[in-house]
Amino acid sequence: MTANEIKKSIRKQLSGDFEKDKQFLSDKSEEYMKENNEEGISAVIDLLSEIMPEEYQKSIMRIMYINGKRLDKVYADILDMLKNKQNLEKALRLAEELYSKITEGFPESDTTKFVSLRNTFEDNLYQIVFKPEKTLNRTPFDFARMISVYGYILVEYRELEKAEEVLKKAIEYNPVDCGPKFELAEIYKLQKDKDKIIEITKDTLRVASSPASIARCYTNLGYMCVDLKEYDDAVAFYYASILFYPHSAVKAELQNIAMITGERLVPPDDKTVQKTFEKYGITYGADKTVIEVSALLSQKSLMDNNIKDALIYLKILYGLTNDPQIKDIILKYEPDKEPESKTE
């Protein structure tokens, strides 16, 4: 459904009592946020703006709009500019305004913290990994992603110190989103800072929930090792990356190493890979907590007969483990769809 269709459907359920409708719309917003339903979120915000008294509307305008345009619409404009490679300076200016509006309007206090957790899986992973003590308030939009685009543009302009500061702020809004962490890794690769590359990679692996994310972590380590001229270590990381999620760029990097060394590359055995990971303090494979969270959520959803959510968590679990029993459960409910997993 489009935002307008959702809005029309929800409007029929409003009572005309502001306090009751505000709570109803707040609950609907929470529901759409957990589903990562951007159209639903947009519809709810529009309706809230419609029913709010004038003093509330002024407050909403102050923190949710830039020059009469809502924050998510400004973000969409920035993405269009980047996609079309036009008005990059304007994109930079808008991204900076967006960053300032978010950080000033939704700050962390001594007792509360705004978070942009996108679904139930991220909610649970965040609670277990980071054990927050403050009251968590959900943001109306994905601020981690919105802020990250500003960091990305700053990297393009080679304003690396400012970009690092911005991306760390993005991570504060969602520490379990790998996206801003990967952008931060790009900065450290440009700076050739081995210690920071390893540190951010470890942080990313703590919350990585897909074979592709884990593979990208290993690829970054391989890139670092090439810079250090540690070619055997680079080969181990690159092959580990391919085992989790094959990518043509990684295969090209392996060919590049063969050209540099003048040697025919042979896939390393498991013992060699394990030693390489231990050398850099990296644990091979998916984080145990991520696996446990996906397993617990899938089990609970199945017990509640919530098959839709169960399949989401089961697919995460299978992608990280390759467990044939998990695959059989998925195929029981989706017999015509082959679930994705790491390739080893």
Side-chain angles (χ1 to χ4, degrees), residues 186 189 215-216 218-220 222-223 226 234 237-239 241-242 245-257 265:
E186 293 304 312
K189 284 158 65 177
R216 185 167 176 179
Y218 298 163
T219 299
N220 285 339
Y223 183 95
V226 170
F237 282 125
Y238 281 146
Y239 269 108
S241 175
I242 289 172
Y245 194 83
H247 196 287
S248 58
V250 178
K251 295 176 182 178
E253 289 294 334
L254 285 167
Q255 292 173 358
N256 183 52
I257 292 174
L265 297 185

Side-chain angles (χ1 to χ4, degrees), residues 282-297:
I282 304 295
T283 301
Y284 181 81
D287 185 89
K288 290 182 179 179
T289 300
V290 179
I291 293 174
E292 289 171 0
V293 169
S294 57
L296 287 170
L297 288 173

